[in-house]
Amino acid sequence: MKFLKFSSSGLHSDIESTTWCRIHFGRACSLLLESPELIAISRALCCIRKPNPRNRRRQHMDAKDILGLPKSFPGTQEKKPRQQKEPQRKPDGISREVYALTGGIAPLIPTIEVSHLKRRPVLDKEKITWQWLPFTNSARTDNLMLYHWVRVVNGVPPTGDYQFAKYNKSVDVIKYTDEEYEKYLTDSMWTKEETDQLFDMCERFDLRFIIIADRFPTSRTVEELKSRYYSVSRALLIARAPSVADVAGHPLVKEPYDMAYEMERKRALSAVLSRTKQQEIRDTEILSEAKRIMESRNASKGVENVDLPDDHTDIEITEKGTHVESPSPSSNMQPSSTAVPSAAITENASTPASLRMLRVYLRTHALDQMVQAASSNAGPRTIIRVEQTLSDLGVHIKPKVPTKAVCAEHLELRKEILTLFNLQKQLQNKEAEVSASRDTSFTEAPGTPKRSYRGDADRPFVSEAVGFGGERMGKRDQKRKAPGRFVDAPPSPPQSKRPRKLKASDG
Amino acid sequence: MSDRKSLGLLMKKKSSPSSPLVGSEVARASRAWLGFFGQNQGQSKRLKDVEISFPIVYGTISFWLGKKASEYNSHKWTVYVRGATNEDLGVIVKRVVFQLHPSFNNPTRIVESPPFELSESGWGEFEIAITLFFHNDVCDKQLDLYHQLKLYPEEDNGPQSTKKPVVIETYDEIVFFEPSEAFFLRVQNHPAAMVPRLPAGLNLPPPGPPELVLEKKRGDTKDHPLVQCFMNFSEADELLKLAAARQQVQAHIVKLRRQLSMIDGLPQQSKAASGQ
């Protein structure tokens, strides 16, 4: 390692520096054999140098030098790895530089198949030649013979018609006789010659009316020409059909060409296409205005349904909720959702506003929302107490069969339990008050065995027998101690010392 | 505005042998106008303060494959959403998407027609996300349910049997608040729906002719091959327990209130005593 060599110039031999190191580290480190520690040290030393995968063994050598360990294969050590690497470096088929791109290591999965690189095309299949041969085109009427290159397989030229002959399609233009014309097709606006010319042109130009209109001797518009053509065809169809019902399905019969409509449509289209930029802007403005009006109309309907005190945020929410084209359709999340703005809304209505917002929800979700709303001013400890009470009473914390009735009952039960806790708290406070005032007034009121709910407050329903049976005991107590006093405490020993004092003083 | 008229004309459903030219710009503009007019009618008529609910049960049933089980294919399971009384949910549900563990190929499975279920085989337990999409006249929003697939029974009582499946079902109700009138009329007499008492004064138009039931597949699960495994959910038990619990709590409350009122009387007494 270069940095450990204390010579400033590179001319000093390695032996000198390593000797120095050997003196200091040699003894301690000679205990380090070919060990992971050695490799770790050499690796650590390597970090300072640029890692070069080819030099791993060389690094090991340097580390060993420094530590003064005997080199394992003296003499031929340097040459052998180099020899081994030389053939490694030159894999067949690929140039050295290309191989180096992969990091100089052979890929785990062989990706470059050397055999693929210099492949000759398979020669033992069919024999293919290209020949300059004449061909005929069935679409032609004049039997012209042209020549082209043809791919010949095994001496057999391809069969079949000229491949583009199939595209030679034309329109079937109905032909009428003079009698038919006399009978069905006379029209005030059109002479027979004109009609004949029209039909002839239709045939020639494959119903390309724009060209026909261009070349028509008398100036007629495209719509007029189309109208004449289609009405003639329609009349002929109907006339020739054995009954009207047969052709009723034919598109010409079902939807006849309406010249006035077509003209209007084209005019409208050109008007739309030729709108100026200003007009476009005006139109989009008007459309957005219309949208806003619709939205506000919907919103006002939505606000009517939700009777909350004027809460601007809620109105916005209803607008968003009823907005039909909401870009991101909100899905109804399960209880874990916090996106529903229920936290801020005080629950005065029978269904919280958040649920009214959702058009569809699950009953369990609704129950959770209402429970949350009901216990919004209760701390987490209280909630745990409520749940404990519920399980003591034998009720599932989340009802297994959440029908409407069950959910309502569940909710009511929870509310009642909360009321119970509140009352208990009030009672405690009142008692504390009373006992405080009693103490300060120094009166020796005949021992009123204080009931203290402190121990029991948290678990009133632990065992019904204790709770409700105790009442009887208390009453007996009462009769013993002081008539006229009321006691309905369970016979648990009073927690505070004061009652005991009073009892003692009673004596 | 003449432009409006022209746009209206353009959208008139008349096709003729002439070439239909509708530029995309024109189509967009005219669609916007039609939307503007169309919103007025349609589904904005909602029944206020009315809710209609559909009880459903969703869950999984899993069978051990027994001898045919391999390391990566030990159980055959089915996840499904059904009506609680095995009625056809196709009346409201358009399709159900089951999102499975990514190790399944095509983990997003879509079931387009009732019965809405999916059977697969595998070895692992994971959470399946079930998304219900409703018909257009029912609701635009989708509803998400989550269910944990269980393959192995709770109590580890020895060897599994191929006959006894592990059935985990959850009961829930889909509630539609303020449904649109059209939807309500369509489903109010369907056996899968639970229609509560309607508020007085609600004037519904008389129901039209009964919906023509076309010759499609039965969507209800009353004769489903796994119907034996379906659990029964009765609210009676739950109601009883709840009623009993409420009674207890109410009694306790009454007691406490009495005590409170008594205590409120006490300080006067003690003060009176001290005064003596």
Side-chain angles (χ1 to χ4, degrees):
Chain A
M1 295 286 121
K2 287 194 175 118
F3 85 103
L4 276 182
K5 295 177 184 168
F6 293 98
S7 54
S8 49
S9 73
L11 293 175
H12 284 249
S13 66
D14 293 358
I15 302 168
E16 253 186 80
S17 47
T18 51
T19 335
W20 186 93
C21 294
R22 206 177 286 152
I23 293 166
H24 287 264
F25 301 111
R27 290 222 186 118
C29 298
S30 60
L31 297 171
L32 285 177
L33 304 169
E34 296 285 320
S35 61
E37 288 93 336
L38 177 60
I39 299 169
I41 292 172
S42 63
R43 278 232 184 99
L45 294 171
C46 292
C47 292
I48 296 141
R49 257 220 224 161
K50 247 197 211 168
N52 191 342
R54 286 184 210 166
N55 292 340
R56 247 177 238 137
R57 268 200 221 190
R58 245 187 260 153
Q59 290 156 1
H60 275 233
M61 297 309 149
D62 293 345
K64 279 193 197 166
D65 267 345
I66 296 163
L67 297 172
L69 292 178
K71 300 179 186 178
S72 23
F73 302 102
T76 54
Q77 213 168 359
E78 294 278 306
K79 285 183 200 164
K80 255 196 186 170
R82 274 199 201 136
Q83 270 175 1
Q84 281 169 18
K85 277 185 192 164
E86 280 289 332
Q88 273 177 16
R89 279 185 204 167
K90 258 200 203 156
D92 315 314
I94 327 172
S95 65
R96 197 159 31 111
E97 282 77 22
V98 172
Y99 192 63
L101 284 177
T102 62
I105 325 163
L108 296 170
I109 310 159
T111 48
I112 310 166
E113 293 265 335
V114 182
S115 48
H116 290 331
L117 291 170
K118 280 185 186 172
R119 246 210 303 192
R120 294 284 151 81
V122 184
L123 294 173
D124 46 80
K125 279 194 192 148
E126 319 151 318
K127 188 172 147 201
I128 295 178
T129 51
W130 285 88
Q131 292 176 13
W132 181 253
L133 295 175
F135 68 96
T136 52
N137 185 351
S138 61
R140 279 193 160 269
T141 47
D142 51 5
N143 293 325
L144 174 66
M145 281 276 264
L146 294 173
Y147 291 76
H148 64 191
W149 285 107
V150 172
R151 185 173 182 265
V152 177
V153 184
N154 285 342
V156 178
T159 52
D161 197 8
Y162 182 56
Q163 57 170 319
F164 296 108
K166 64 185 182 238
Y167 298 118
N168 188 36
K169 291 257 180 358
S170 58
V171 184
D172 306 322
V173 171
I174 295 186
K175 296 254 175 17
Y176 53 85
T177 61
D178 289 340
E179 300 110 40
E180 284 180 322
Y181 187 86
E182 298 291 309
K183 264 179 35 185
Y184 311 111
L185 309 173
T186 47
D187 191 295
S188 52
M189 307 274 291
W190 285 79
T191 64
K192 186 163 189 305
E193 296 93 34
E194 280 194 315
T195 317
D196 289 341
Q197 274 179 331
L198 170 64
F199 268 74
D200 179 52
M201 282 188 144
C202 285
E203 172 105 37
R204 269 168 65 198
F205 297 119
D206 280 340
L207 288 193
R208 294 189 172 101
F209 282 101
I210 301 192
I211 301 173
I212 295 169
D214 211 32
R215 295 180 182 222
F216 209 68
T218 51
S219 62
R220 296 263 188 187
T221 62
V222 174
E223 288 85 25
E224 285 179 17
L225 294 170
K226 280 192 184 179
S227 163
R228 182 64 179 152
Y229 171 76
Y230 287 123
S231 52
V232 165
S233 309
R234 186 164 188 264
L236 279 171
L237 261 181
I238 295 178
R240 289 180 190 176
S243 77
V244 181
D246 287 344
V247 280
H250 197 280
L252 261 184
V253 174
K254 263 207 300 197
E255 290 133 9
Y257 184 83
D258 182 351
M259 188 166 94
Y261 173 69
E262 280 296 304
M263 290 185 43
E264 184 55 34
R265 186 180 67 88
K266 288 186 184 169
R267 189 204 63 76
L269 194 61
S270 60
V272 167
L273 285 175
S274 56
R275 274 192 300 191
T276 61
K277 188 89 177 181
Q278 252 188 348
Q279 278 184 311
E280 262 186 59
I281 296 170
R282 255 183 63 219
D283 276 340
T284 44
E285 273 175 26
I286 292 172
L287 274 175
S288 55
E289 186 68 42
K291 233 201 247 179
R292 251 183 289 140
I293 294 172
M294 283 304 301
E295 272 175 47
S296 62
R297 255 191 236 166
N298 277 338
S300 62
K301 272 192 212 161
V303 169
E304 271 170 26
N305 290 340
V306 182
D307 42 275
L308 283 175
D310 58 335
D311 206 341
H312 293 289
T313 52
D314 285 334
I315 293 174
E316 276 172 22
I317 293 162
T318 49
E319 270 187 8
K320 281 187 203 144
T322 54
H323 184 31
V324 176
E325 301 169 24
S326 57
S328 53
S330 54
S331 55
N332 296 304
M333 298 297 288
Q334 287 298 302
S336 55
S337 89
T338 48
V340 180
S342 61
I345 299 170
T346 56
E347 191 227 336
N348 283 325
S350 56
T351 37
S354 61
L355 287 176
R356 285 163 182 259
M357 232 60 71
L358 305 170
R359 291 279 168 217
V360 59
Y361 52 87
L362 280 173
R363 184 86 63 195
T364 44
H365 176 56
L367 181 64
D368 288 333
Q369 296 269 311
M370 295 206 257
V371 163
Q372 256 185 33
S375 42
S376 52
N377 46 7
R381 257 198 74 228
T382 325
I383 296 174
I384 296 175
R385 280 172 63 195
V386 169
E387 298 193 342
Q388 185 66 59
T389 316
L390 282 174
S391 58
D392 286 339
L393 286 164
V395 168
H396 299 292
I397 296 184
K398 288 199 181 209
K400 289 281 174 213
V401 190
T403 62
K404 191 172 173 126
V406 166
C407 287
E409 287 279 312
H410 190 94
L411 193 63
E412 291 304 309
L413 181 60
R414 278 192 185 239
K415 286 190 194 166
E416 280 170 5
I417 294 177
L418 281 172
T419 321
L420 184 68
F421 289 156
N422 279 342
L423 282 177
Q424 281 176 351
K425 212 181 190 176
Q426 277 184 31
L427 201 56
Q428 275 181 28
N429 293 343
K430 280 278 161 84
E431 285 174 10
E433 239 182 66
V434 166
S435 64
S437 70
R438 216 174 259 163
D439 278 349
T440 54
S441 61
F442 299 114
T443 47
E444 279 191 5
T448 317
K450 280 258 158 74
R451 38 182 197 300
S452 88
Y453 274 82
R454 284 181 202 114
D456 275 344
D458 289 350
R459 304 283 293 261
F461 296 107
V462 172
S463 51
E464 291 169 41
V466 174
F468 291 93
E471 204 171 317
R472 259 183 253 140
M473 291 266 295
K475 278 191 181 144
R476 254 184 269 143
D477 234 10
Q478 173 193 345
K479 279 189 189 152
R480 213 172 14 103
K481 291 242 164 130
R485 294 285 175 211
F486 53 92
V487 167
D488 29 7
S492 60
Q495 298 282 323
S496 60
K497 278 195 177 174
R498 283 191 198 120
R500 280 205 200 111
K501 256 200 217 166
L502 288 172
K503 272 188 202 166
S505 69
D506 242 0
Chain B
M1 263 209 327
S2 62
D3 278 342
R4 215 201 303 165
K5 201 168 76 156
S6 60
L7 288 171
L9 270 175
L10 283 164
M11 286 310 288
K12 249 201 316 186
K13 295 244 170 120
K14 260 182 135 185
S15 67
S16 46
S18 57
S19 46
L21 341 129
V22 186
S24 61
E25 193 190 79
V26 172
R28 212 185 333 123
S30 42
R31 243 180 282 143
W33 280 110
L34 275 187
F36 170 72
F37 291 123
Q39 266 184 33
N40 263 329
Q41 302 93 35
Q43 299 175 19
S44 49
K45 177 81 166 26
R46 290 189 169 268
L47 302 169
K48 272 178 65 163
D49 285 334
V50 172
E51 65 170 41
I52 182 168
S53 59
F54 290 81
I56 58 163
V57 174
Y58 59 95
T60 52
I61 296 181
S62 122
F63 286 91
W64 185 51
L65 286 174
K67 280 190 285 197
K68 300 186 216 159
S70 72
E71 201 187 322
Y72 291 108
N73 225 318
S74 58
H75 288 76
K76 181 171 101 68
W77 51 267
T78 309
V79 61
Y80 56 88
V81 181
R82 64 175 173 95
T85 45
N86 289 323
E87 293 295 341
D88 180 10
L89 282 182
V91 60
I92 44 164
V93 177
K94 183 163 68 171
R95 64 172 183 272
V96 177
V97 176
F98 296 98
Q99 184 71 32
L100 306 178
H101 193 266
S103 60
F104 283 90
N105 58 353
N106 301 332
T108 311
R109 305 281 172 95
I110 306 179
V111 181
E112 299 275 356
S113 69
F116 298 106
E117 62 178 16
L118 175 71
S119 295
E120 259 291 349
S121 58
W123 57 273
E125 305 183 341
F126 56 91
E127 189 182 65
I128 304 176
I130 307 171
T131 313
L132 305 176
F133 291 88
F134 303 103
H135 290 297
N136 294 333
D137 66 333
V138 174
C139 184
D140 302 331
K141 305 206 179 121
Q142 64 197 53
L143 195 60
D144 295 319
L145 309 164
Y146 299 92
H147 184 85
Q148 183 74 17
L149 168 70
K150 269 188 69 66
L151 302 175
Y152 299 94
E154 286 280 350
E155 321 92 38
D156 199 16
N157 43 9
Q160 309 171 60
S161 105
T162 51
K163 294 275 164 56
K164 282 210 295 199
V166 175
V167 180
I168 310 283
E169 287 192 329
T170 312
Y171 176 99
D172 214 326
E173 298 189 348
I174 306 178
V175 182
F176 294 100
F177 188 70
E178 298 198 342
S180 71
E181 193 172 45
F183 163 48
F184 187 81
L185 290 172
R186 178 163 77 87
V187 297
Q188 61 179 346
N189 290 324
H190 194 278
M194 273 191 355
V195 183
R197 248 176 326 136
L198 302 172
L202 187 73
N203 294 328
L204 285 179
E211 215 181 58
L212 190 66
V213 177
L214 304 168
E215 299 297 315
K216 36 185 186 164
K217 262 193 335 163
R218 273 176 68 179
D220 62 326
T221 42
K222 295 208 177 113
D223 284 335
H224 197 271
L226 292 172
V227 75
Q228 307 292 329
C229 307
F230 292 165
M231 290 162 56
N232 273 325
F233 293 92
S234 94
E235 58 170 356
D237 276 341
E238 200 106 21
L239 277 177
L240 269 175
K241 278 212 207 116
L242 280 172
R246 279 188 74 185
Q247 265 196 342
Q248 275 194 14
V249 174
Q250 279 163 2
H252 217 71
I253 288 180
V254 161
K255 220 175 47 172
L256 283 180
R257 282 197 212 257
R258 224 183 327 130
Q259 285 169 4
L260 260 180
S261 60
M262 300 266 205
I263 274 209
D264 279 340
L266 246 193
Q268 322 283 203
Q269 268 192 325
S270 59
K271 278 190 193 145
S274 64
Q276 280 170 358

